[in-house]
Amino acid sequence: MQSNGFSVTVREDGFRGLAKGWAPTFIGYSMQGLCKFGFYEVFKILYSDLLGEENTYLWRTSLYLAASASAEFFADIALAPMEAVKVRIQTQPGYANTLRECVPKMFAEEGLWAFYKGVVPLWMRQIPYTMMKFACFERTVEMLYKYVVPKPRSECSKPEQLVVTFVAGYIAGVFCAIVSHPADSVVSVLNKEKGSTALQVLKRLGPKGVWKGLVARIIMIGTLTALQWFIYDSVKVYFRLPRPPPPEMPESLKKKLGLTE
């Protein structure tokens, strides 16, 4: 799907066409990433405080899912205007060539709504993806330290910890790719065909069609997700920001369950 779009862009606009919309893409996804990771930490602490220490441990997967969904909700509000501008620049030849040219034109024609028309589809695509990305990453890190890494995290060097982060990020990326691939296949066709509905496209693609190109997507998303987590964790290491270890059962819960003498 993506390679087809790539070749069409090169054929119609030359290699300059590929650079079209780079500014809104860069600004939009930078803002989304900042909000996504930043708000995730905020909501994780907020929901953890509401649940209390014992329930935070028992319901940690639900906590990761809720915190990441809440973070992505706000991250997509930050992304939506730039995504709308990017799509307009890339899909309507002659409309506008730059961000500065496109924004005033869209605002004059449709008002503020022009920038937020795509926010609901963004939520539908991005929220399940992000929930999988964060929850899978957190649980994978926990399992790697428990079953794979031969020593506790506290005894691992910073580079060793970052390797675990990268591996967990890649595994999370694989699951993200699988979960989001059918929806992404449908969205790609919808963007090319005017007047089609998601249901019509889904019926036409069939079970085989929606999974076409999955291996390439797994490699791409896996690598991207691993790099995102690696960079995020490296920034935390560099600025000496808090990096809590994988969760452990609170002593009070161990006593309740009779796990301590």
Side-chain angles (χ1 to χ4, degrees):
M1 299 265 174
Q2 269 137 352
S3 61
N4 187 35
F6 178 93
S7 59
V8 168
T9 306
V10 172
R11 194 165 61 242
E12 289 178 359
D13 291 320
F15 282 96
R16 276 186 66 193
L18 292 173
K20 271 188 176 180
W22 71 267
T25 303
F26 177 75
I27 295 165
Y29 282 94
S30 298
M31 285 163 69
Q32 189 207 26
L34 201 65
C35 290
K36 185 188 299 194
F37 283 94
F39 279 126
Y40 176 68
E41 298 290 347
V42 170
F43 282 113
K44 202 161 75 162
I45 294 164
L46 180 72
Y47 296 155
S48 180
D49 290 345
L50 290 171
L51 286 168
E53 191 185 24
E54 289 180 10
N55 284 332
T56 291
Y57 179 78
L58 290 170
W59 295 91
R60 59 193 184 282
T61 304
S62 300
L63 171 76
Y64 305 145
L65 292 168
S68 55
S70 305
E72 188 60 49
F73 178 86
F74 290 103
D76 288 343
I77 291 170
L79 169 66
M82 291 295 122
E83 184 74 359
V85 171
K86 181 197 85 171
V87 168
R88 193 67 66 97
I89 290 170
Q90 289 181 345
T91 61
Q92 290 190 20
Y95 183 83
N97 288 317
T98 63
L99 177 66
R100 272 188 297 186
E101 197 184 328
C102 194
V103 171
K105 200 171 177 181
M106 283 174 72
F107 186 74
E109 287 174 7
E110 298 173 64
L112 202 60
W113 175 240
F115 303 102
Y116 287 99
K117 274 194 294 194
V119 77
V120 174
L122 261 181
W123 282 332
M124 288 167 73
R125 190 181 76 192
Q126 290 295 125
I127 289 175
Y129 175 88
T130 300
M131 287 166 80
M132 176 61 78
K133 175 176 168 174
F134 280 79
C136 188
F137 172 79
E138 296 274 17
R139 292 310 297 253
T140 305
V141 166
E142 198 180 319
M143 287 173 80
L144 286 173
Y145 279 113
K146 199 172 180 180
Y147 301 111
V148 180
V149 181
K151 54 187 175 180
R153 181 181 182 260
S154 54
E155 291 173 24
C156 294
S157 65
K158 292 284 193 294
E160 284 170 341
Q161 289 178 19
L162 289 171
V163 168
V164 174
T165 298
F166 186 86
V167 172
Y170 207 103
I171 292 166
V174 170
F175 283 99
C176 283
I178 293 165
V179 163
S180 62
H181 192 72
D184 209 67
S185 298
V186 172
V187 168
S188 297
V189 176
L190 279 174
N191 285 338
K192 280 188 247 171
E193 296 176 5
K194 286 182 178 175
S196 294
T197 67
L199 207 63
Q200 285 170 340
V201 172
L202 195 60
K203 277 182 183 172
R204 198 166 72 248
L205 286 173
K208 269 180 88 174
V210 292
W211 294 108
K212 198 178 170 191
L214 179 64
V215 175
R217 189 171 159 79
I218 282 173
I219 295 164
M220 187 184 79
I221 301 287
T223 308
L224 279 174
T225 308
L227 285 170
Q228 281 178 341
W229 279 111
F230 185 81
I231 292 162
Y232 178 59
D233 216 24
S234 301
V235 168
K236 279 179 148 185
V237 168
Y238 183 78
F239 289 106
R240 295 182 181 169
L241 297 169
R243 295 170 67 243
E248 287 181 17
M249 190 181 288
E251 288 301 319
S252 57
L253 194 59
K254 283 180 185 175
K255 282 174 188 169
K256 277 183 188 175
L257 298 170
L259 298 173
T260 53
E261 291 174 18

